[in-house]
Amino acid sequence: MCAMMILIQMIIPPPIRASASADSSSSSSIYSIPASSIPAPTGNGVMSFKVMNGTNGAYSDSQIFWGVLGINPANGKWSYLDLNGNLLPISLALNDAPGHLSKNGINYANFYHKVSDAPWVSLPKITSGRMFLCVATECYIKTYDNGFAGPDINNPNDPNLNVYFDFIEFTIDATGYHGNTTRVDMFGFPIQHRLVNVEGNYDRTVGELEVETRSGLFSKFSKEVPSQFTSLGTIQAPYRIVAPVRGSFAAGGVNANYFAGYSGFSTQDILRCDGAVTNAQTCAAINRHVYTDNNWNIVGNYYQAAPANYYSKFWHTHAIDGLAYGFAYDDVNNQAAYLETSRPKGLIIKVGW
């Protein structure tokens, strides 16, 4: 669903319900914030949100950055969110504006804010929104008059290869909030994504379990996935674990033919859910190794034999309620880390470590 590309145009998947199980083992738990304490939005905002520091002292609030890019439905222009909840248009000129970022002699747009800048911020309606979360330093992203160039972890010269970052995706429209965490391309650090509605009868969270730590997930990944997948946790360490098609399962890689003989489709098409494998149900069935089963919707049968997308399996194993976006069509049979509500009140994003 969320491949990294130049001038990113994201598609939010069809609505699915997701649930959450509470874990209040820590005072820094995402569940420790009462829903009643979420303030009303201001200005054009339809809901309020906050980014929460869950690094347990590894980084201060001033070292965790967030920035929102998306399309302003009022004018159709790509925009960024300021601290007052306004969507301001992005442009090529933004890369050289006062306060811009620079790396290796190249300038980048600075649309970021620190966790310490504001406890809550208002979110207006936005289409194809992406909230970048960056730790220790901002992400380096070029903006243009009609879009932006997001991080490309396949590019050996990308300025973000040695940056700790992750993101969530969302749209806020007339039917409410629709958003998700994603592991389709990579894992940067644990994230929890909590959504609360106005009526008070919807309060759900998706993402990695709060008991998981970043170092722990790296260690568990190396021990829990089959040998073909272990290099995904090392080739861009310590910054991220990459998805199979971003590693040795890409064309020309040692596992480029991993799915050969199972479905008749290429391994790359299967992992990307594109090319000859654009049917969502088919792609999901192959990744989950139930393609030859009579019933593709029995969750207990997923990932029980090779070949299967064990990268995806790993994130489901360590996720709240077993929900994760491990590949592009992981929303089939309601397995994705996806939340939505028609009358959103608050969004809380916790950056874990």
Side-chain angles (χ1 to χ4, degrees), residues 183-352:
R183 298 294 166 227
V184 172
D185 288 300
M186 48 151 269
F187 161 83
F189 38 76
I191 295 176
Q192 288 88 42
H193 170 248
R194 178 183 173 194
L195 180 64
V196 179
N197 73 347
V198 172
E199 291 81 4
N201 56 9
Y202 185 102
D203 187 345
R204 298 188 174 186
T205 304
V206 292
E208 282 75 40
L209 292 161
E210 282 200 300
V211 295
E212 302 286 3
T213 64
R214 188 175 189 275
S215 61
L217 285 169
F218 268 84
S219 177
K220 290 175 182 179
F221 188 85
S222 67
K223 297 173 183 176
E224 294 178 15
V225 299
S227 60
Q228 297 96 325
F229 291 79
T230 55
S231 66
L232 303 176
T234 61
I235 56 175
Q236 292 195 20
Y239 299 99
R240 62 196 56 86
I241 299 172
V242 302
V245 79
R246 307 291 177 185
S248 63
F249 295 77
V254 296
N255 294 306
N257 297 314
Y258 175 75
F259 279 97
Y262 181 58
S263 66
F265 300 110
S266 79
T267 294
Q268 293 71 47
D269 286 358
I270 292 166
L271 294 171
R272 290 191 302 253
C273 293
D274 66 7
V277 196
T278 56
N279 178 273
Q281 287 74 26
T282 299
C283 188
I286 300 171
N287 274 275
R288 297 165 178 168
H289 195 90
V290 292
Y291 182 66
T292 58
D293 292 7
N294 293 325
N295 188 334
W296 292 355
N297 292 323
I298 302 175
V299 176
N301 290 343
Y302 294 168
Y303 309 108
Q304 293 303 303
N309 188 339
Y310 288 103
Y311 166 90
S312 177
K313 178 183 186 294
F314 179 83
W315 299 117
H316 283 275
T317 299
H318 297 278
I320 297 167
D321 292 336
L323 302 174
Y325 249 119
F327 55 89
Y329 286 131
D330 214 357
D331 53 329
V332 169
N333 199 25
N334 296 353
Q335 295 304 295
Y338 180 79
L339 298 177
E340 67 173 358
T341 188
S342 60
R343 297 187 67 208
K345 177 182 182 181
L347 173 68
I348 304 170
I349 303 298
K350 181 181 174 184
V351 173

Side-chain angles (χ1 to χ4, degrees), residues 136-172:
T137 182
E138 301 93 335
C139 301
Y140 298 94
I141 292 175
K142 279 282 189 183
T143 58
Y144 300 92
D145 295 340
N146 60 345
F148 64 94
D152 180 0
I153 61 173
N154 275 354
N155 179 357
N157 297 313
D158 191 279
N160 298 289
L161 286 186
N162 61 352
V163 174
Y164 296 106
F165 74 90
D166 220 307
F167 55 89
I168 66 164
E169 303 170 312
F170 60 96
T171 279
I172 305 172

